[in-house]
Amino acid sequence: MRQRREELGLSQEDLAARLRISVRAYGNWERGLVKEWTDRKLLALAEALEMSERQCFWLFRVMVDRDPPSTWRAAADNRLPDDPAQRDYLVDYAALMEAVPYPSFLVDHRWDVALTNSAFDRLFQSVRPHPTALPDDNFLRFVLFHPDAAAVLEDHEPAWCVPLMAQFANALEAAPEDEGLRSIRQEIARDPFMEAAYRYGVPHWLKTHGSEAAERDGAVRTVRHWDPQAGLVRCRIVAESSRMLDAMGLTRITLVLSAPQGPAAGPARGGAAPHRQGPRLRAVPSMGD
């Protein structure tokens, strides 16, 4: 990576800007400190390093010992904007997010994650590799499908899964032909418990709590702090945007952490949640309801 970057006469800051990640995050990439090389990361890297098809082939072979995927529709969506003003804005915005002590990330309407800060990475540092549901890849897929999600997101099912599924249902209704959203819908349909939650649990939950309960901005949740001594920590979800972020279809989500609520219950210190065969959502009403 470093050799190719230097061949192009680019700095780490230049590559970070092309990849829409922080300079610190790219430095970790170049030092090999990546927990999981997903297709998305490798293809974005190949594009940022202006690699040929053959170079991309060897990148995959060296990093993950397999061929690159034959097709990849999302590659064009991951490019930095052509507008120089937008490009410069994102570079500076990455520096702003890195200065924030709370976990913060940028997402688009599909919940694809465009940028994270170091506090976000620390919050999810214990999460194990997963093919499609990493927190810094697609946050919705992580919440719904990653077996370790409950190890970080307290009261995972009713507090995180169902509200996000309600938001997803609204997004899909607004853009029913969006391929990314349709792909997530197909994943939900393949899991009978998630499908039951989507069809019956979400309407039941909205009827009980009201549609405003699904709003992400202002919601109060609980997370398991990365410091085991802190235990469970209350967090308020703050969703915000700006004129420039709106133009790029991005929203910033920040988890504002407050005082610890006491030692965390559940997984042993330093451990992850036990692997589950599939989600079991308590929000799904019984057939008699």
Side-chain angles (χ1 to χ4, degrees), residues 1-19:
M1 289 170 60
R2 183 176 67 251
Q3 179 181 351
R4 178 59 180 167
R5 173 175 61 78
E6 291 174 350
E7 287 176 0
L8 297 172
L10 300 173
S11 65
Q12 288 195 354
E13 289 77 7
D14 295 330
L15 257 295
R18 289 189 177 191
L19 291 162

Side-chain angles (χ1 to χ4, degrees), residues 90-104:
L90 278 182
V91 172
D92 292 336
Y93 205 86
L96 170 65
M97 285 177 54
E98 192 61 28
V100 174
Y102 304 119
S104 191

Side-chain angles (χ1 to χ4, degrees), residues 187-208:
E187 290 183 51
I188 292 173
R190 284 194 289 268
D191 187 306
F193 295 97
M194 280 294 175
E195 180 67 9
Y198 185 80
R199 287 180 175 270
Y200 309 112
V202 169
H204 175 79
W205 183 84
L206 288 173
K207 183 178 179 180
T208 302

Side-chain angles (χ1 to χ4, degrees), residues 35-36 38 41 113 127-139 141-142 146:
K35 291 185 292 185
E36 175 73 1
T38 63
K41 285 181 180 177
V113 178
V127 170
R128 295 171 293 178
H130 190 283
T132 62
L134 288 169
D136 60 352
D137 188 12
N138 183 285
F139 193 72
R141 282 192 172 98
F142 166 71
H146 201 297

